């Protein structure tokens, strides 16, 4: 996705320890017009997925997921990192956040993920694939089927794409793939 | 907002301890078409606010905020509850979550909230007004001006509206106001 790649090269910053800072337009401050075109691109790529539900995780996945849900007219479910007092029975799995350098829980209410669901998972980053693996686990617990996974940015050198393929996800789309970011230099595929 | 009120009466559930469960369409699973009309209503009510930035807090505020940002063509900033490793200098304030029954941090990168900003704050719930007060504090630290606050649902009996007015917020809009929810019976204003 050309516009996204140009924006990453212009406004993204490669920090130490393989962290890519895109918080001026994706995951802290959000450019809603760029995000709308991200959603349009996901819609195009997953038009034939047969999804009946979009799943994401709080917080950075919510913006692209809700814009895609609006376009595809599908309900959007976001996994929570803490169990709110309003939640009844739930599924839970654990994920490792690369940028936060720690594990976190992903929690979904049982009534919102069922064997009838054909899930399209959307997130901002694919790095090690840990969140994706937790989502696979949540869907397996619920008996839901994953029909695709879409990521705004993939760190191509961190192996998450292969991890998710090997776990059985057949349709993965990343709108921009970072091949390397050594010495502060972002190289896109 | 008639459609929202009807949906609250149909799908909302009044739990014990004044908790209103709307997680089938607002803050866990989201109906993006209802949320789009929520955003349209906010756009109408804040059309003359002069806002140049929309501010919300993760996670449940992001969906209405990004849809409104798309309509108003304004950048959307969401305050984080934990400091990510990518964040440099930041402002921080503390808020009490009514549903989670605990305090949390709200954190905004300094470069994204400045004295030039005329902030429209958007969130899913107004209850005690604690999050709104933390946002007032963040904006005061940054020298930013708050031009309005919009909430999808206000618990009219919890006093947050008055708290925010007394703190100097002159334009507050709530799309549905709960007057009481005693004995599982939701009463709307």
């Amino acid at each position: 996705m050309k516009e996204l790649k140009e924006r990453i090269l212009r406004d993204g910053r490669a920090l130490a320890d393989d962290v890519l800072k895109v918080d001026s337009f994706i995951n802290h401050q959000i450019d809603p017009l760029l995000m709308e075109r991200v959603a349009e691109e996901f819609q195009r790529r997953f038009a034939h997925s047969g999804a009946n539900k979009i799943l994401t995780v709080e917080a950075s996945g919510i913006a692209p997921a809700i814009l895609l849900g609006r376009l595809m007219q599908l309900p959007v479910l976001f996994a929570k990192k803490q169990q709110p007092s309003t939640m009844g029975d739930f599924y839970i799995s654990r994920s490792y956040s690369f940028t936060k350098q720690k594990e976190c829980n992903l929690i979904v209410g049982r009534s919102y993920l069922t064997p009838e669901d054909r899930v399209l998972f959307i997130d901002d980053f694919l790095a090690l694939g840990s969140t994706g693996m937790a989502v696979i686990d949540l869907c397996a617990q619920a008996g839901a089927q994953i029909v695709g996974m879409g990521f705004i940015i993939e760190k191509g050198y961190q192996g998450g794409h292969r991890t998710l393929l090997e776990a059985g996800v057949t349709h993965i789309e990343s709108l921009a793939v970072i091949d390397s970011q050594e010495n502060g230099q972002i190289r896109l595929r």
Side-chain angles (χ1 to χ4, degrees), chain A residues 42 46 48 51 89 105 111 118 132 146:
Chain A
F42 280 137
F46 291 109
H48 305 292
D89 288 345
N105 291 320
S111 45
R118 299 180 302 281
I146 294 173

Side-chain angles (χ1 to χ4, degrees), chain A residues 57-76:
Chain A
V57 298
E58 64 177 16
S60 305
I62 295 175
I66 193 72
L67 291 170
L68 180 60
R70 175 184 158 273
L71 292 172
M72 296 180 80
Q73 307 210 357
L74 294 178
V76 175

Side-chain angles (χ1 to χ4, degrees), chain A residues 17-136:
Chain A
D17 300 327
D18 279 339
V19 170
L20 180 65
K21 183 179 167 78
V22 289
D23 67 358
S24 67
F25 59 106
I26 287 185
N27 53 17
H28 180 28
Q29 182 167 263
I30 308 169
D31 176 344
L33 303 184
L34 174 70
M35 202 59 91
E36 172 73 359
R37 288 184 287 270
V38 160
E40 288 167 356
E41 182 68 19
F42 280 137
Q43 181 187 32
R44 197 180 65 75
R45 297 192 188 196
F46 291 109
H48 305 292
S49 65
N52 69 348
K53 184 165 288 184
I54 293 168
L55 176 63
T56 188
V57 298
E58 64 177 16
S60 305
I62 295 175
I66 193 72
L67 291 170
L68 180 60
R70 175 184 158 273
L71 292 172
M72 296 180 80
Q73 307 210 357
L74 294 178
V76 175
L77 179 66
F78 67 91
K80 304 212 170 203
K81 292 177 178 170
Q82 294 188 322
Q83 184 203 355
S85 61
T86 54
M87 192 182 279
D89 288 345
F90 55 87
Y91 301 111
I92 185 168
S93 192
R94 287 185 71 75
S95 154
Y96 176 80
S97 165
F98 184 76
T99 40
K100 292 187 183 131
Q101 303 266 326
K102 66 174 190 183
E103 285 210 317
C104 67
N105 291 320
L106 294 184
I107 300 169
V108 167
R110 279 184 183 243
S111 45
Y112 303 127
L113 198 59
T114 75
E116 282 70 48
D117 283 325
R118 299 180 302 281
V119 170
L120 172 55
F121 174 66
I122 295 292
D123 206 0
D124 59 339
F125 270 97
L126 170 57
L128 301 170
S130 174
T131 303
M133 291 301 288
V135 164
I136 291 170

